Amino acid sequence: MGQRHSGKKQVPSVPDESCASSDPAPVARPGVSVDQNDADVPWATVNRLASKTPFSTLDVLRLFHKFHAKAQQSEDPDALHENQLRDLLQEAGFDIEQDAFIEGLFQHFDKDKSGKLSFLEFVLGLSILAHGSIRDKIALSFEVYDRHNDGFITKPEMVNILKLLDHQATDTAKREGAQPKLSPEERDAEIDSFVNQVFEKYDREHNGKLFFHEYMRALMNHPALVNVDFLARRTPESPDDTKS
């Protein structure tokens, strides 16, 4: 069991956005309104993303304008930083409150590990959130836990993420006037016990590591490991539309 079996979706490679500079002036496409504001759109990238992802050309164009507007608020007008990702995801229809989850998503989206997201990386990552299969999204959640990107989840990694999510959810509930039934110490103890049970049952080699296939089995019986809404979510802007 030494090899990692990630089960990840292989996202088709898309040429670098720099190739867009050779694209001719935008031409009206079915279902897409082209105006003067679209003159700066990297049409080669937009068209390739529309062909390589479930998003339509109009979807990608809308995402480009939102990405561009948000990126211009920082020092790098062509890239998105982690603190901007939450806002853009919310505008795209995803209400993700937990900082730990946002951080994990950012790391997953940031394929070149540059510490910032290109438009290409943003759309490819968003396509998994919006249209990915359950297995794709489980693979994404696996990477959120795998903070060190070493192909497996350790007990401390799982404990840390679950506690961060729990603490942030509790803080949100308190702001809304709800009072938790358990103290922070009691909740932390429950999480420790839960993680110990998961590893005792699904860590078949008893080496303190969960590989993807083991995580998959654990998740089937313990859906609390990941937000079910995250697995089922589809962005309102991206219904089962027909390609433009």
Side-chain angles (χ1 to χ4, degrees), residues 44-241:
T45 299
V46 168
N47 291 334
R48 287 185 175 91
L49 285 169
S51 68
K52 300 292 185 181
T53 71
F55 292 124
S56 69
T57 305
L58 184 56
D59 288 331
V60 179
L61 183 58
R62 287 171 175 165
L63 289 171
F64 172 77
H65 286 309
K66 290 184 176 182
F67 178 95
H68 187 61
K70 184 64 65 176
Q72 285 188 318
Q73 298 174 11
S74 66
E75 296 179 357
D76 191 342
D78 296 317
L80 199 68
H81 295 266
E82 185 177 323
N83 62 351
Q84 299 170 304
L85 180 60
R86 184 201 310 273
D87 292 341
L88 211 51
L89 287 175
Q90 288 177 338
E91 290 177 17
F94 293 91
D95 187 16
I96 301 174
E97 295 293 337
Q98 296 92 343
D99 292 336
F101 204 74
I102 291 291
E103 181 182 347
L105 287 178
F106 187 90
Q107 291 178 0
H108 176 78
F109 285 17
D110 183 18
K111 295 302 184 185
D112 63 4
K113 305 306 176 188
S114 63
K116 56 187 179 181
L117 301 183
S118 68
F119 176 62
L120 192 74
E121 290 174 322
F122 173 70
V123 175
L124 290 176
L126 188 62
S127 70
I128 300 297
L129 283 178
H131 295 286
S133 67
I134 294 296
R135 187 180 179 86
D136 293 332
K137 294 179 182 182
I138 289 174
L140 195 160
S141 72
F142 178 88
E143 293 195 12
V144 171
Y145 278 113
D146 181 14
R147 306 304 291 276
H148 296 99
N149 299 310
D150 42 22
F152 52 81
I153 302 170
T154 64
K155 275 188 182 182
E157 285 176 328
M158 184 173 287
V159 166
N160 288 339
I161 288 291
L162 289 177
K163 286 184 178 179
L164 280 172
L165 296 178
D166 175 72
H167 294 169
Q168 290 166 4
T170 300
D171 289 341
T172 299
K174 285 182 177 178
R175 288 195 299 270
E176 295 174 352
Q179 293 299 320
K181 296 180 179 179
L182 300 177
S183 68
E185 293 76 18
E186 290 172 326
R187 291 198 307 276
D188 285 352
E190 282 202 349
I191 289 173
D192 289 334
S193 175
F194 171 70
V195 172
N196 284 334
Q197 291 174 28
V198 168
F199 272 77
E200 181 177 350
K201 184 172 183 179
Y202 298 101
D203 176 15
R204 296 300 176 88
E205 293 187 355
H206 303 290
N207 57 6
K209 302 173 183 178
L210 283 186
F211 290 89
F212 182 72
H213 60 286
E214 295 171 320
Y215 174 71
M216 281 275 289
R217 286 198 293 267
L219 189 58
M220 289 174 63
N221 293 296
H222 300 284
L225 284 169
V226 67
N227 189 327
V228 176
D229 289 338
F230 157 68
L231 293 180
R233 190 92 172 164
R234 297 183 72 86
T235 172
E237 284 198 359
S238 306
D240 293 320
D241 48 6

